[in-house]
Amino acid sequence: MKKIVASLVSVAAFCAFAELPQPYGYWKMDEMTVERKIPDVSGNGLEMTVGEGVSLVEDERFGKVARWEGVGGSWGKFSNPALSNRTISIWFKRDASDADFDTADNNKIPYLFANWSNSYVNFSKNTPGFNAYLGGNSYYTIAAPSRSVWHQLVIAVGDARWYDEAKTNFVATLSVYLDGVQTKKYENIVTPKSILYKSDFVLGNHVTDSNHSTPRPFKGEFAEIRVWDVTLSEN
């Protein structure tokens, strides 16, 4: 089992490695304006707008965090640039009463995030784990982590390029880390859909319409979310 770079294992360690590339987006999830904006402290101005089903709560580990109540209005979004190679780090704590894999139907499976340049992660219906999607392809990645405790999920997309001269398919590598340990790595994934386009990244849901007929909201808490426009690895 490989360890991801130590700077991703904890907030304190992250701050100690000045040579890491600057993230293009960084949300501490501990502050919200009256306009329901969570500031981007990377300096790139990518404020995250959140729905009415999101609030700030006290937390022993992080001080303050953003809580998703598991309702249609539980979502966050920001304008994501078109990216090929990229890395995302999300700290999350899933509520014990969030929709379970053996009871949720296809319209209620919670999403951690969606629309990250045509990649997204949700909780699987048929197995107690994650589904990670890249360009429309689905891959079972890791066993479901325990509820009611903090976990860090890191997903890195690398070596992204056009697969053919006609530019109809993409190929890339997908690496998944949970709590600092690499759990899966998929190489040479060929996808018929582009993974290089600008979109509204959605956190803790797959839609931002509170009245949508099939929202798939996450129930739990988020902290310390970072995104990079490069592929970070265990080295």
Side-chain angles (χ1 to χ4, degrees):
M1 301 290 277
K2 296 182 179 179
K3 294 279 186 179
I4 195 168
V5 60
S7 60
L8 289 178
V9 177
S10 70
V11 175
F14 181 92
C15 296
F17 282 71
E19 63 271 76
L20 270 177
Q22 178 74 11
Y24 72 84
Y26 176 17
W27 303 266
K28 291 186 175 181
M29 310 301 285
D30 62 353
E31 183 181 351
M32 185 192 306
T33 69
V34 294
E35 293 85 11
R36 306 197 62 78
K37 306 282 188 180
I38 294 177
D40 167 24
V41 297
S42 75
N44 292 323
L46 294 177
E47 290 183 318
M48 182 183 297
T49 303
V50 296
E52 295 293 334
V54 176
S55 61
L56 295 184
V57 297
E58 300 291 332
D59 178 75
E60 291 185 359
R61 179 169 188 167
F62 292 98
K64 280 189 177 181
V65 296
R67 176 163 179 80
W68 263 238
E69 295 296 344
V71 297
S74 298
W75 53 263
K77 71 172 182 178
F78 67 88
S79 181
N80 189 66
L83 298 172
S84 53
N85 297 331
R86 55 192 186 269
T87 304
I88 186 168
S89 169
I90 297 179
W91 283 91
F92 70 96
K93 181 167 68 173
R94 193 179 183 197
D95 196 278
S97 63
D98 196 17
D100 204 354
F101 76 95
D102 60 356
T103 58
D105 61 33
N106 285 328
N107 293 331
K108 295 180 180 178
I109 297 172
Y111 272 66
L112 274 183
F113 67 81
N115 295 340
W116 185 42
S117 290
N118 210 13
S119 56
Y120 44 101
V121 169
N122 64 16
F123 291 94
S124 175
K125 175 184 177 182
N126 298 318
T127 54
F130 287 114
N131 278 330
Y133 296 81
L134 182 65
N137 288 338
S138 174
Y139 297 87
Y140 173 69
T141 53
I142 58 176
S146 53
R147 308 282 187 109
S148 303
V149 295
W150 284 104
H151 298 282
Q152 184 192 33
L153 178 68
V154 176
I155 293 182
V157 178
D159 197 25
R161 62 200 184 279
W162 287 109
Y163 183 69
D164 48 20
E165 292 184 1
K167 294 185 177 181
T168 56
N169 295 279
F170 256 82
V171 62
T173 296
L174 177 70
S175 298
V176 181
Y177 304 83
L178 181 65
D179 298 330
V181 177
Q182 186 182 72
T183 61
K184 292 288 182 178
K185 183 175 183 179
Y186 299 96
E187 297 182 328
N188 298 319
I189 299 171
V190 178
T191 169
K193 295 182 180 180
S194 174
I195 60 170
L196 180 61
Y197 70 93
K198 182 178 180 180
S199 59
D200 278 341
F201 176 99
V202 180
L203 179 67
N205 210 322
H206 77 127
V207 293
T208 58
D209 179 2
S210 299
N211 297 316
H212 194 278
S213 60
T214 57
R216 302 182 188 180
F218 172 79
K219 187 174 184 180
E221 296 161 3
F222 288 110
E224 295 284 341
I225 297 174
R226 298 176 176 89
V227 281
W228 290 264
D229 57 2
V230 293
T231 307
L232 300 184
S233 73
E234 64 274 8
N235 298 318

